Amino acid sequence: MAGNGSSPGKSAGIHHITAIAGEPKRHVAFYRELLGLRMVKRTVNFDDPTTWHLYYGDETGTPGTALTFFVWNQLPSGHHGSGEPQEIAFSVPESSLAFWRKRLSEKGIAVKDSARFGDNVIAFEDADGHKLEIVGAKGAEAIPGWSNGDVPAEHAIRGFHGITLEVSNPALTARVLNQVFGFEPDGVEGDRHRFRAGDGAIGNVVDLRVTPGATRASQGTGTVHHVAFRATGDEQEMEFRRRALEIGLRPTDQVPRHYFRSVYFREPNGILFEIATDDPGFTVDEPKERLGKQLLLPPWHEQRRKQIEAVLPPLE
Ligand code: ZN
């Protein structure tokens, strides 16, 4: 278990990251087969039930491991730029980096080595253009890995290391991270300002980066849609919402998302943030061993199951 790593009034870090994928079969093969993440839920976009919303994570999609995708095949490619959550970084044990470098290279994926804040990092992209990283993170070996049978458990991705937000005015986003969620500054390296939440081992790093002259990002396939931060439950979610209002942001009311309850707001650099509750999680409507095997619909879409199934593109 990742532990929830929170302290009173502070978020334990990233709950989930939601991104936009294109061609569905290629997408599923990359994240489930190549990266070895578990598909913990196959459902639809609750606001547009004719499109897939796929969830990946550790065995149960623990907060801090949940990477979700809207599969919007018809959408044009996005452009990376400012005002965008950009690199999604995963945590693996330091000793697993060689395994991943070899595995990705063997599949024809270009990998780039770097180091930052004392950790070695390999960077690569998926076919939609998502910027991904695998970080050899201290302490990751203590988190049990889930194996899909192809990636051994010892090398498995443990969850998020964190995310890099490309912004034009980092002070504005820093204020939100600190004053709403309780993230603390954790160092500066080059153009990168690191912020850290809680004391958990996964999903607690947010880097703010400024690239001078970067043009504004545009959303499309291959870009991140939003980043959700953890709240222990309704009480903490409402506290974070209250703080957001207090610094002049415009959070939504609470929205039921079946697997968690959410509040959304746009931070001052234009990135969509979400507050999401840790409960009830992905085992609310199917047992752990069956997660992600069949289309799950929330009760309010269940009467339209036949029509929905007829229009969803195949994943396998
Ligand atoms: Zn979300």
Side-chain angles (χ1 to χ4, degrees), residues 2-20:
N4 103 1
S6 69
S7 55
K10 294 186 176 187
S11 172
I14 296 169
H15 182 285
H16 65 270
I17 295 171
T18 294
I20 305 170

Side-chain angles (χ1 to χ4, degrees), residues 222-290:
T223 63
V224 173
H225 190 270
H226 65 266
V227 182
F229 297 99
R230 295 173 65 177
T232 49
D234 288 340
E235 196 182 337
Q236 198 176 54
E237 181 158 85
M238 288 305 121
E239 169 64 13
F240 293 161
R241 185 179 184 279
R242 189 189 61 74
R243 293 183 201 165
L245 280 168
E246 210 168 78
I247 60 170
L249 301 166
R250 298 174 60 195
T252 64
D253 289 334
Q254 193 184 60
V255 183
R257 292 302 188 196
H258 201 46
Y259 307 111
F260 38 83
R261 298 172 301 286
S262 301
V263 169
Y264 301 86
F265 60 87
R266 216 165 270 284
E267 57 82 46
N269 281 294
I271 295 172
L272 184 61
F273 278 179
E274 174 181 346
I275 312 165
T277 58
D278 281 354
D279 66 309
F282 299 110
T283 52
V284 71
D285 57 2
E286 54 187 350
K288 184 167 88 172
E289 53 280 5
R290 292 205 41 79

Side-chain angles (χ1 to χ4, degrees), residues 12 29 57 98 101 111 124 231 275:
R101 201 177 287 115
V111 299
F124 55 104
I275 312 165

Side-chain angles (χ1 to χ4, degrees), residues 172-199:
L172 297 178
T173 305
R175 182 174 183 227
V176 175
L177 290 172
N178 177 254
Q179 294 191 14
V180 176
F181 295 114
F183 277 76
E184 300 287 348
D186 193 39
V188 179
E189 193 176 287
D191 53 5
R192 195 175 279 273
H193 297 245
R194 176 153 291 187
F195 289 80
R196 194 177 285 274
D199 54 5

Side-chain angles (χ1 to χ4, degrees), residues 29-37 99-100 103 106-107 146-156:
F30 188 90
Y31 287 90
R32 191 176 60 186
E33 269 65 66
L34 178 60
L35 295 188
L37 302 178
F99 168 88
W100 283 103
R103 180 174 177 81
E106 278 174 2
K107 305 285 178 178
W146 178 84
S147 176
N148 66 352
D150 198 8
V151 175
E154 61 170 314
H155 297 314

